[in-house]
Amino acid sequence: MSELVPGGNVPLPDGALTVRVPGPFDVSALITDDGGRVRGDGDFVFYNQPAAPGARLSGGTLTVDPSALRAGATRVTVVVSPADPGVPLGRLPAPTLLVSDPHGGPLARFAPPRPRQETVLLLAAIYRRGTGWKLRAVGQGYADGLAGLARDFGVDVAEETGGGSAAGPTAGASAVAPMPPASVPSPGPAPGRGRANGPASDLDGLLGPVNSARDAAGSPPVTLDARLVSAARAHAAAMAAAGRLGTEGPDGVSLHQRVTAAGYPYLTVGEHLVSGPRTPAEFVAYCLRTDRPRRTLQDPAFTHAGPAYVTGGGDTYWTVLWASPLTAVGLARTEAEVITLTNAERARAGLRPLSADPHLHSAARAHCADMVARAFYSHTSPEGGQPWDRAAAAGSTRRSIGENIACGQRSPAEVVDGWMNSPGHRANILKPRFTHIGVGFAGGGPAGTYWTQLFGA
């Protein structure tokens, strides 16, 4: 393992790296071109937008696969900030960056000098040099907070305007092209590169050990769903054709877009993207000996599974989907849980609870569906519509409107926790003058899940 000093660098092996900063910290990442500016919304990976092509944040761990970054990306800047926005970095233990190689082995460690008045620290940069990639230790402090840092990289943090607030980062130069999920292709393997998984009975054999493991954890059994199998097969073939794992294939189509294109609207979704296991038995054994894969396999929320594996380039690429279908009752329950958790936060702050408003609810749900259908993530619609415009169009007559959005979170608890750990979103939730709320959720699109809170007074 390399012990780095500021300015020190180390060459990186091929594959996905794991980046952690133990302690009371949040990790973020900014994906940029040679000019040092983000290209669009998806280039800022943080607790409220935890996924982008080639980068994913999960439970405080950032995974970066340089080969899977969006076209033109040449640098990933790793940022650390206090988990509690009200605590300066100087009052916390000195952050230590730990980087692991694709096999989980220690690759590099960097312990910068303890910050003083800074509120954000640029810890490291993963950057392209020639045909390879390197990691450089940085250790540069920022006093303006995460919002100020994001602005300097080209992210536009929306402020309260026009009688409403739209908290949360949205990119000022979005390059996301609309792409309705219904038109997403499901390509097979490239000629000579991939071979689809074996007979159905082979994959049927997966369910026995899977359901035994679920039963041991007190979770109900899952059943195979042909739509999920179709989406999994297409994604496994795309990974085999590219010769790498990733939530987005070389065709630019995300795994979750394949699921909705296959005709499976979902309320909850999970996935395993794995290379190496040669049989269903080996795949299950891998999941059960590793914590996070085991938790996904045993998650009681899932009712259906869609496994597939494809061989290509001397390796075997697995995509296994886990999901539960979207129902009117389940959607209403999920949205109501967001309101309950939001009001619990207001109660802790001594504020009155928010009442559910059907007009705000309709506008919030429609905005989530629109972000999925047209593959964008912003408070501003492609036509320029703002939160207060959507509320009025849905029939609301409330004079003050605010909005929180999020993508990638897999549960109401996760999304509300993310909002409460973001100063702008927290301010909306705890704004005393707001009296009503509407919540929306939709599954699909590049990020997998989209959430909206619309507040009114």
Side-chain angles (χ1 to χ4, degrees), residues 4 43 87 119 157 174 197 281 351 367:
L4 298 178
D43 283 348
V87 178
T119 57
V157 180
S174 176
N197 56 259
L351 299 171
H367 188 52

Side-chain angles (χ1 to χ4, degrees), residues 11-430:
L12 297 176
D14 293 336
L17 310 167
T18 300
V19 177
R20 294 188 304 111
V21 182
F25 304 106
D26 281 332
V27 177
S28 310
L30 288 144
I31 301 166
T32 57
D33 300 334
D34 287 331
R37 305 280 285 179
V38 299
R39 180 179 292 183
D41 307 42
D43 283 348
F44 187 20
V45 177
F46 68 122
Y47 39 66
N48 213 37
Q49 182 172 276
R56 182 169 184 85
L57 185 62
S58 178
T61 297
L62 176 68
T63 302
V64 178
D65 183 353
S67 68
L69 295 171
R70 59 139 173 101
T74 58
R75 180 180 293 261
V76 178
T77 301
V78 180
V79 181
V80 68
S81 56
D84 182 346
V87 178
L89 280 174
R91 289 174 52 189
L92 298 176
T96 300
L97 178 78
L98 303 175
V99 182
S100 301
D101 66 25
H103 304 291
L107 180 66
R109 180 180 182 274
F110 174 50
R114 180 189 295 274
R116 296 182 181 178
Q117 75 275 16
E118 295 92 342
T119 57
V120 173
L121 196 63
L122 308 189
L123 271 184
I126 297 167
Y127 64 103
R128 189 169 65 199
R129 177 58 56 88
T131 59
W133 289 79
K134 287 189 170 185
L135 171 75
R136 173 181 290 129
V138 179
Q140 176 186 345
Y142 249 75
D144 261 351
L146 202 56
L149 171 68
R151 287 190 187 96
D152 282 4
F153 276 77
V155 178
D156 206 2
V157 180
E159 304 290 349
E160 186 168 344
T161 59
S165 55
T170 58
S174 176
V176 179
M179 180 172 58
S183 67
V184 172
S186 296
R193 289 298 305 273
R195 177 174 60 79
N197 56 259
S201 59
D202 187 21
L203 287 175
D204 287 341
L206 186 74
L207 288 190
V210 162
N211 283 331
S212 293
R214 289 177 64 83
D215 182 65
S219 300
V222 292
T223 58
L224 284 178
D225 185 280
R227 296 163 295 180
L228 294 178
V229 171
S230 173
R233 184 179 294 117
H235 196 72
M239 292 193 300
R244 58 175 171 79
L245 300 174
T247 56
E248 184 177 285
D251 52 4
V253 181
S254 78
L255 173 63
H256 303 103
Q257 288 172 311
R258 298 186 201 279
V259 174
T260 52
Y264 190 104
Y266 57 82
L267 185 64
T268 55
V269 68
E271 66 279 334
H272 285 108
L273 304 178
V274 180
S275 64
R278 293 162 294 179
T279 66
E282 288 184 9
F283 170 79
V284 174
Y286 155 77
C287 291
L288 293 181
R289 69 172 177 262
T290 311
D291 181 54
R292 276 190 293 171
R294 181 175 62 250
R295 283 189 278 117
T296 298
L297 184 148
Q298 295 178 330
D299 193 324
F302 301 136
T303 58
H304 294 112
Y309 63 90
V310 170
T311 57
D315 208 345
T316 303
Y317 293 86
W318 287 80
T319 297
V320 181
L321 288 160
W322 314 89
S324 62
L326 180 71
T327 64
V329 171
L331 179 59
R333 183 176 62 247
T334 295
E335 293 167 343
E337 188 175 348
V338 172
I339 296 177
T340 298
L341 293 169
T342 298
N343 279 333
E345 296 293 348
R346 288 178 64 89
R348 276 191 278 273
L351 299 171
R352 292 179 302 168
L354 302 171
S355 300
D357 182 297
H359 301 299
L360 297 179
H361 170 79
S362 295
R365 184 180 285 184
H367 188 52
C368 288
D370 191 30
M371 288 191 289
V372 167
R374 296 196 283 176
F376 75 97
Y377 176 69
S378 177
H379 295 287
T380 305
S381 72
E383 297 80 19
Q386 298 292 334
W388 34 94
D389 301 322
R390 293 190 287 273
S396 174
T397 58
R398 303 199 179 279
R399 292 186 295 176
S400 183
I401 294 293
E403 183 180 80
N404 286 344
I405 60 174
C407 66
Q409 292 79 8
R410 302 299 175 93
S411 70
E414 186 180 346
V415 74
V416 172
D417 183 65
W419 280 327
M420 287 300 294
N421 280 290
S422 167
H425 300 86
R426 179 187 178 96
N428 270 344
I429 289 174
L430 301 183

